[in-house]
Amino acid sequence: MTATALTRLTLTDFRSYARAELALDGRSVFLVGPNGAGKTNLLEAVSFFTPGRGLRGASLAEVGRRLPGERAGRAWAVAAEVAAGGEATRLGTGVEQAGASRRAVRLEGEPVPPGRLADHVRQVWLTPAQDRLFLEGAGERRRFFDRLVFAAEPRHAAHATAYEKAQRERMRLLTDGPPDPAWLDALEARLAEAGALMAEARARTLAALQAEIATRGERPFPQAVLSLTGEWEQMAGQGAEIAHIEGRLADALRGARERDAAAGRALTGPHRGDLAVLHAEKDRPAAECSTGEQKALILNLVLAQAARLARVEEAPRPILLLDEVAAHLDRRRRAALFDEITALGLQAFLTGTDEHLFEELKGRAQGVRVDGAELSDLT
């Protein structure tokens, strides 16, 4: 396993920051400041060192800095130095001109595909937007779980992208026509291939995550019983060969053309599945638990995945991004969270409005005060 930590972070025209530079000592970091000071913006900047749209799911134009009266975000850049195995690597990402539809990624100054980021940084995050995870629609839970899958298997993102692209093209053909059978066959073959790979990766991650949770024993965070409700994920979880899943999915799509055209959306496939979470001790669905219990359940899933990934050989250890998590935990659970992060040897970035939330973490992490996009060390 390869210990991984950011040792420098530089932002240019990113969100509220015209220019900011943060020197890091490799330990975890707690960011303290009032609401609106720019703490989450720093976490979001770190999250762009993975493929995709970052922890807020923002468009490239949204994250570019805007002054009053400016209608479009500026070109922006985020750079970092990543220490792993005694070596430092320079990463950079951003858009070179305002309005660009794709962001550039650089490794040691040379352009590389975004997928190369996963060779150097893997991340798991938890944000306030996920507090209602068990009360929202299935789509939010799928996205949350797919992020956990992606942290373990970076190719999952490429399979999901291929699936979504083929699905859009198929629906356009079904609804706008003409529905050419040969072209539909080709699109559905691509859908079935990517969908089967997605279902298999989800089932594999679920099994590994449940096994990790089972080993965690008595902790201040409640244990969860996990399941995937999607037909295709269940098929994969029961040991079906991927070729079998692919063939069954292709047949299902072919048979659903008329129904999907009438509905205006695809009614079968891994995009329809859901993650079900049960509070093990209470034997109750997470949606029926208290707000605090739901938060603790989600956090335990994130910690279990981080602990599992920390033991993976030949892969960077994950970096944890925990936005406003400490404020929702009692003192016992906060201390347990800090102890676990320290024991796992992971770098975590945590935010909070009150410095006292991080009393048990002082001496084990680097404190930074954030105020109006100004950064200073906490002493």
Side-chain angles (χ1 to χ4, degrees):
M1 64 191 71
T2 305
T4 306
L6 300 189
T7 55
R8 184 171 296 277
L9 181 66
T10 305
L11 284 65
T12 304
D13 281 329
F14 185 90
R15 292 286 190 184
S16 56
Y17 295 91
R19 172 78 180 181
E21 188 164 328
L22 186 59
L24 304 168
D25 60 18
R27 296 180 297 167
S28 289
V29 184
F30 57 93
L31 305 165
V32 177
N35 292 326
K39 304 183 299 297
T40 303
N41 293 345
L42 288 172
L43 265 62
E44 184 180 25
V46 175
S47 75
F48 271 104
F49 292 112
T50 62
R53 298 174 60 167
L55 60 78
R56 280 179 169 135
S59 68
L60 298 180
E62 283 181 83
V63 300
R65 189 170 69 99
R66 285 186 295 174
L67 294 177
E70 291 183 336
R71 299 184 63 182
R74 301 182 178 191
W76 57 271
V78 181
E81 290 184 5
V82 183
E87 298 183 358
T89 302
R90 293 182 296 124
L91 299 177
T93 188
V95 295
E96 296 175 353
Q97 59 183 12
S101 59
R102 292 186 179 182
R103 63 184 173 107
V105 174
R106 295 186 179 275
L107 171 62
E108 295 293 352
E110 297 297 323
V112 296
R116 288 288 305 279
L117 289 168
D119 296 337
H120 302 276
V121 180
R122 297 193 185 184
Q123 299 179 30
V124 182
W125 58 64
L126 187 57
T127 71
Q130 294 164 337
D131 287 352
R132 293 180 54 83
L133 187 70
F134 301 123
L135 304 177
E136 301 288 353
E140 291 301 318
R141 287 184 292 278
R142 278 196 304 274
R143 281 185 281 275
F144 169 78
F145 190 70
D146 277 342
R147 170 55 55 179
L148 297 182
V149 178
F150 171 67
E153 303 186 29
R155 286 190 59 80
H156 182 68
H159 298 150
T161 299
Y163 181 89
E164 291 168 4
K165 183 175 185 293
Q167 182 174 251
R168 286 194 302 270
E169 292 180 10
R170 175 179 178 268
M171 288 310 306
R172 188 159 50 242
L173 201 60
L174 287 174
T175 55
D176 298 343
D180 179 77
W183 184 228
L184 282 169
D185 284 345
L187 286 173
E188 287 163 356
R190 284 159 49 188
L191 263 172
E193 179 184 16
L197 290 168
M198 288 170 60
E200 187 181 53
R202 286 173 177 170
R204 187 165 47 242
T205 297
L206 184 94
L209 191 54
Q210 188 70 75
E212 181 67 34
I213 290 171
T215 67
R216 293 169 66 77
E218 294 298 323
R219 293 169 184 260
F221 302 104
Q223 290 197 334
V225 177
L226 311 175
S227 61
L228 291 168
T229 64
E231 173 185 358
W232 313 102
E233 291 85 352
Q234 290 181 358
M235 196 179 297
Q238 292 164 2
E241 295 288 338
I242 193 163
H244 176 72
I245 301 172
E246 185 177 334
R248 288 280 300 275
L249 182 52
D251 289 343
L253 290 166
R254 190 177 302 110
R257 289 174 185 175
E258 186 174 337
R259 184 185 63 173
D260 289 353
R265 63 186 188 278
L267 297 175
T268 187
H271 65 286
R272 302 280 294 178
D274 197 359
L275 171 69
V277 178
L278 192 75
H279 189 300
E281 184 180 355
K282 294 190 173 182
D283 193 27
R284 294 176 62 186
E288 297 179 7
C289 296
S290 70
T291 302
E293 287 172 331
Q294 290 182 28
K295 185 78 173 184
L297 280 166
I298 299 171
L299 183 55
N300 202 24
L301 293 184
V302 169
L303 289 174
Q305 182 69 329
R308 184 175 81 85
L309 297 180
R311 298 194 303 272
V312 175
E313 298 290 342
E314 305 302 325
R317 285 188 179 184
I319 292 173
L320 288 173
L321 306 181
L322 303 175
D323 193 15
E324 299 291 348
V325 167
H328 295 275
L329 302 175
D330 58 36
R331 184 169 184 174
R332 182 173 68 101
R333 282 180 172 160
R334 280 202 305 272
L337 169 63
F338 301 154
D339 287 345
E340 184 146 4
I341 291 171
T342 303
L344 290 172
L346 302 179
Q347 187 181 44
F349 289 78
L350 306 97
T351 66
T353 58
D354 189 344
E355 185 178 345
H356 295 296
L357 292 171
F358 303 102
E359 284 296 331
E360 291 89 349
L361 196 55
K362 290 182 177 179
R364 298 186 286 174
Q366 181 178 354
V368 176
R369 183 172 298 282
V370 184
D371 191 0
E374 294 293 328
L375 309 179
S376 59
D377 287 333
L378 282 168
T379 55

